[in-house]
Amino acid sequence: MSTTSLVPGLPSPDCSPRLREALLDAAFTADGLLDLLGAPAYAALARSETVPALRATRGDSALDTLVRLFLLQRPVAYERARAALPIEECLADGWLVRDGDDVRATVDVRPYGGPEGQDWFIVSDLGCAVGGAGGASGQGEGVVLGVGGASTTLAGITVRTPVSSALDLGTGSGLQALHAAQHATRVTATDLNPRALHFARLTLALSGAPEADLREGSLFEPVGKDTYDLIVSNPPFVISPGARLTYRDSGMGGDDLCRSLVQQAGDRLNDGGYAQFLANWQHVEGEEWQERLRSWVPRGCDAWIVQREVQDVTQYAELWLRDSGDHRTDPAEYAARYDAWLDEFDARRTKAVGFGWITLRKSGSDRPSIVAEEWPHPVEQPLGESVRAHFERQDYLRTHDDAALLADRFTLTAEVVQEQVGLPGAEDPEHVVLRQHRGMRRATKVDTVGAGFAGVCDGTLSAGRILDAIAQLLQEDPVLLRDRTPQALRLLVEEGFLEPVRS
């Protein structure tokens, strides 16, 4: 049962089934928007540019009406709205307000396509659907944002195996809870902001999803000692001097909020469970960022930490000052706030800030696998299955010594291709590259032995027998080749180029 109540001034979820039916009848969906607006206007809307969408919705269809109401947040004539919506229920429940002969929406409702083609709706504050009509600039501190790049990134990397229990920590408008409801028997969603919990309730109701257990409070405090099979969080990770905007600023010094989340997650995970976070972290003078983050990983957990981007402190400060609209304020006030950010970084000896993903898996191993890497290159979302497979490979490598590795059979992972690089007309390539076209899209250079091994690796012969055949072809000592090759094979398995054959 939820520990939160309805928030005054926000809609009630009571008429959500009728409202949802009306939205679907009008094709107010992700696909319907693209069809109505066309690709250029649809893309412009994602850049917060509304003029093309206004031009595209000059008609009088129900879909035109709904786009103007809920996405462009323009007043619409009462009679026109009545033709598209159960208007009296929407007015009574607070989704709309009457303004003379017009009605206006009280919240932003944004169509969102689920991973299996579901038609979902994300509800947020007016003008605060990220990349939507107004952006977040200039909004109050309790603002609740809609769908943004960070939230969709987290949804894409989350492991989606069926689980009994899932926790969405810092739920915001409820996107992660909505995804989790598709594969978790029980979903708990928490937030420090009671408005966010109300918006999450609206998002779930309007999307036709089961209710979640909504709890108000900070970090893990609302859930006590409860444990979960899956924990996800897109927290307010911005490293800033203070907590002016609750939707993004941590309110804790430096990256302490992200560190606390990671360190405390281990005790809230069931065996085999995953905790997945988006995070910012400081690059501190005199410290390697990888070692700093490895120290966050709780005992008994494997971890995969991926740094996707790094910004120096001036770039970082400017990004978030623009996000809050401070660049449009009085120049002296902007300069003072900019100076305060740099003072904060100086005090913490911070030279840059990293952004990326942190995934924990409760393995219970006394030899944990902790991988911290930089990967700024394009990836193919969704990555949830790639994340799950990464930890499965770590289990395999941890339990197989070199002799066991050579005794096993392997196959080349699907969508891996071999590229030969060299001068045109040359008899032999200068080097050979294996490249993935799925998931992380990694590439790795291999020598003649590695290329030969990958070329015949179809799961028929053991790795040792393949190496013996290669040794005979290259006229090498098979014992020496067996001795020096396992390390290279381990790397190919770890990075997902080779898969062990499961007997």
Side-chain angles (χ1 to χ4, degrees):
M1 180 180 295
S2 298
T3 60
T4 61
S5 57
L6 298 182
V7 175
L10 292 180
S12 162
D14 290 348
C15 79
S16 296
R18 274 80 64 200
L19 177 55
R20 174 177 171 80
E21 183 178 356
L23 299 179
L24 294 177
D25 285 347
F28 186 66
T29 63
D31 289 341
L33 283 184
L34 182 59
D35 289 342
L36 173 69
L37 302 180
Y42 190 84
L45 193 61
R47 299 191 301 270
S48 303
E49 297 292 347
T50 60
V51 172
L54 283 167
R55 292 172 62 87
T57 54
R58 290 171 173 170
D60 57 3
S61 72
L63 183 54
D64 290 317
T65 299
L66 295 175
V67 171
R68 284 185 167 250
L69 265 177
F70 290 117
L71 287 186
L72 303 177
Q73 287 133 35
R74 296 296 196 273
V76 170
Y78 174 90
E79 291 300 327
R80 181 173 170 179
R82 189 174 68 169
L85 293 164
I87 193 163
E88 295 305 328
E89 287 183 84
C90 289
L91 287 167
D93 282 358
W95 293 87
L96 303 174
V97 292
R98 188 97 185 237
D99 185 6
D101 292 333
D102 294 334
V103 294
R104 293 182 290 104
T106 61
V107 291
D108 186 297
V109 178
R110 187 156 300 259
Y112 179 86
E116 297 178 1
Q118 303 100 321
D119 290 314
W120 292 342
F121 301 95
I122 310 303
V123 188
S124 64
D125 271 312
L126 289 174
C128 292
V130 178
S137 300
Q139 299 292 330
E141 65 174 18
V143 66
V144 178
L145 300 187
V147 180
S151 54
T152 55
T153 293
L154 179 60
I157 68 172
T158 300
V159 176
R160 297 295 176 194
T161 52
V163 294
S164 296
S165 57
L167 170 64
D168 176 12
L169 194 153
T171 188
S173 57
L175 177 63
Q176 309 307 325
L178 179 57
H179 276 279
Q182 312 308 304
H183 64 103
T185 304
R186 174 173 58 89
V187 177
T188 301
T190 71
D191 207 289
L192 184 63
N193 182 0
R195 287 173 54 81
L197 294 171
H198 189 104
F199 275 112
R201 178 187 281 115
L202 296 176
T203 289
L204 292 168
L206 196 57
S207 298
E211 292 185 10
D213 179 3
L214 304 173
R215 304 187 188 184
E216 182 181 341
S218 178
L219 301 180
F220 288 103
E221 179 271 328
V223 301
K225 296 188 180 300
D226 292 351
T227 58
Y228 300 88
D229 302 312
L230 173 67
I231 299 171
V232 293
S233 183
N234 176 21
F237 51 65
V238 176
I239 301 170
S240 62
R244 192 159 57 100
L245 299 173
T246 56
Y247 73 87
R248 66 165 210 195
D249 297 330
S250 72
M252 300 174 69
D255 51 21
D256 284 355
L257 181 136
C258 293
R259 176 183 55 80
S260 296
L261 277 178
V262 174
Q263 289 180 335
Q264 295 175 24
D267 291 336
R268 271 77 177 189
L269 280 177
N270 295 326
D271 290 343
Y274 289 90
Q276 300 188 256
F277 309 100
L278 298 187
N280 275 181
W281 46 79
Q282 299 168 125
H283 284 226
V284 178
E285 291 179 9
E287 297 182 28
E288 293 291 334
W289 73 266
Q290 296 94 332
E291 292 306 314
R292 192 163 181 276
L293 266 67
R294 286 188 182 104
S295 72
W296 294 5
V297 178
R299 186 183 301 274
C301 288
D302 295 338
W304 187 17
I305 302 163
V306 181
Q307 181 167 270
R308 295 287 288 157
E309 185 179 359
V310 181
Q311 290 183 316
D312 67 47
V313 293
T314 60
Q315 292 174 312
Y316 189 81
E318 291 161 14
L319 169 67
W320 294 110
L321 288 168
R322 287 194 301 271
D323 171 80
S324 54
D326 289 310
H327 61 303
R328 293 195 292 266
T329 63
D330 176 73
E333 183 179 350
Y334 173 77
R337 285 189 169 157
Y338 197 152
D339 209 34
W341 282 69
L342 297 184
D343 283 344
E344 173 79 5
F345 290 130
D346 283 346
R348 297 183 177 278
R349 298 185 297 114
T350 301
K351 58 184 180 180
V353 177
F355 168 80
W357 322 321
I358 299 176
T359 300
L360 306 178
R361 200 272 305 262
K362 187 74 170 285
S363 66
S365 174
D366 57 0
R367 293 188 296 129
S369 163
I370 302 177
V371 177
E373 63 174 325
E374 187 162 10
W375 192 255
H377 313 294
V379 299
E380 183 190 53
Q381 287 276 31
L383 272 173
E385 178 57 25
S386 296
V387 173
R388 185 203 61 78
H390 167 89
F391 287 97
E392 189 173 81
R393 293 193 297 268
Q394 301 307 312
D395 282 343
Y396 173 84
L397 293 171
R398 183 163 43 208
T399 56
H400 287 69
D401 61 16
D402 288 354
L405 194 73
L406 294 176
D408 265 1
R409 294 170 291 132
F410 297 88
T411 58
L412 197 63
T413 305
E415 303 295 331
V416 171
V417 299
Q418 177 178 301
E419 300 174 358
Q420 297 187 1
V421 181
L423 294 173
E427 185 175 345
D428 296 312
E430 293 179 13
H431 59 263
V432 176
V433 173
L434 299 180
R435 187 178 302 277
Q436 301 168 353
H437 283 270
R438 293 289 179 88
M440 294 294 285
R441 293 179 172 167
R442 298 187 189 274
T444 187
K445 187 188 299 186
V446 293
D447 61 12
T448 302
V449 173
F453 188 96
V456 298
C457 201
D458 61 1
T460 304
L461 300 175
S462 69
R465 290 189 63 187
I466 292 175
L467 290 178
D468 290 344
I470 291 174
Q472 186 174 7
L473 285 172
L474 298 178
Q475 297 183 335
E476 288 195 30
D477 185 330
V479 175
L480 293 178
L481 188 59
R482 278 175 173 253
D483 285 344
R484 67 177 172 85
T485 304
Q487 183 176 355
L489 294 184
R490 285 185 179 279
L491 182 62
L492 291 176
V493 172
E494 181 176 352
E495 294 192 341
F497 291 94
L498 296 178
E499 295 178 344
V501 175
R502 306 295 180 181
S503 56

